[in-house]
């Protein structure tokens, strides 16, 4: 069986969900992964994404980098259209509201994310698009 550290995209999400994060929560270079569930802005269907994250107080931070491409990831466009999302961290799934870090918040949040995934700085250097840090804040009861 392939280790989750070798998985990307849908196969990573599937393994994570099947094992409640036992296989998939810990990823490469000491990073941790959450699953972000968004609603497709065109299809209306639920989409799921395995993303590197860091806790930030009661919230979670993720980066909409897409490897430094000029276009943002689809999940970011989806949450711009509907910021009400669901998040799963290991076996806990809950509702959250997504927002982009403010100009005041971003430097410290960016530094925190670069600490766990230094490639974010390289990704930013490859594009004129300002790569956003997304804050996922819990919203009420569990999903």
């Amino acid at each position: 069986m392939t280790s989750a550290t070798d998985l990307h995209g849908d196969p990573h999400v599937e393994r994570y969900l099947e094992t409640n994060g036992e296989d998939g929560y810990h990823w490469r270079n000491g990073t941790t992964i959450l699953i972000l569930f968004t609603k497709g802005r065109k299809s209306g269907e639920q989409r799921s994404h395995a993303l590197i994250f860091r806790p930030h107080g009661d919230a979670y931070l993720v980066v909409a980098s897409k490897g430094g491409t000029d276009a943002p990831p689809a999940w970011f466009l989806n949450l711009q259209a509907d910021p009400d999302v669901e998040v799963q961290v290991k076996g806990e799934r809950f509702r959250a509201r997504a927002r982009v870090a403010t100009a005041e918040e971003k430097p410290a949040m960016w530094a925190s994310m670069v600490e766990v995934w230094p490639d974010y700085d390289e990704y930013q250097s490859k594009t004129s698009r300002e790569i956003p840090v997304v804050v996922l804040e819990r919203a009420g009861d569990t999903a």
Side-chain angles (χ1 to χ4, degrees):
M1 179 186 280
T2 304
S3 166
T5 58
D6 296 323
L7 297 176
H8 292 90
D10 291 341
H12 191 163
V13 170
E14 290 166 18
R15 180 79 59 80
Y16 191 110
L17 295 177
E18 286 169 1
T19 66
N20 278 330
E22 288 297 316
D23 195 13
Y25 174 78
H26 293 284
W27 199 53
R28 296 182 181 161
N29 304 321
T31 58
T32 51
I33 301 295
L34 60 69
I35 306 299
L36 175 66
F37 299 90
T38 61
K39 185 186 299 182
R41 66 194 178 286
K42 296 176 184 171
S43 69
E45 295 177 13
Q46 186 177 72
R47 305 285 186 217
S48 51
H49 317 273
L51 302 173
I52 295 170
F53 80 97
R54 284 204 86 175
H56 185 77
D58 292 335
Y60 298 92
L61 304 179
V62 294
V63 176
S65 65
K66 199 177 177 187
T69 62
D70 289 334
W75 63 261
F76 182 74
L77 299 174
N78 289 344
L79 67 78
Q80 283 186 307
D82 183 357
D84 294 319
V85 298
E86 290 183 13
V87 175
Q88 185 164 331
V89 177
K90 294 187 178 177
E92 182 188 11
R93 187 163 167 171
F94 54 91
R95 289 184 181 89
R97 185 147 181 101
R99 66 176 180 83
V100 173
T102 66
E104 294 76 26
E105 294 173 310
K106 185 179 177 184
M109 291 177 172
W110 181 265
S112 176
M113 294 304 293
V114 167
E115 188 174 80
V116 293
W117 196 254
D119 290 353
Y120 288 137
D121 275 340
E122 178 190 338
Y123 300 163
Q124 183 60 78
S125 73
K126 291 167 41 175
T127 181
S128 59
R129 171 177 72 92
E130 183 177 337
I131 296 176
V133 174
V134 175
V135 183
L136 303 169
E137 298 172 322
R138 287 179 183 265
D141 300 329
T142 57

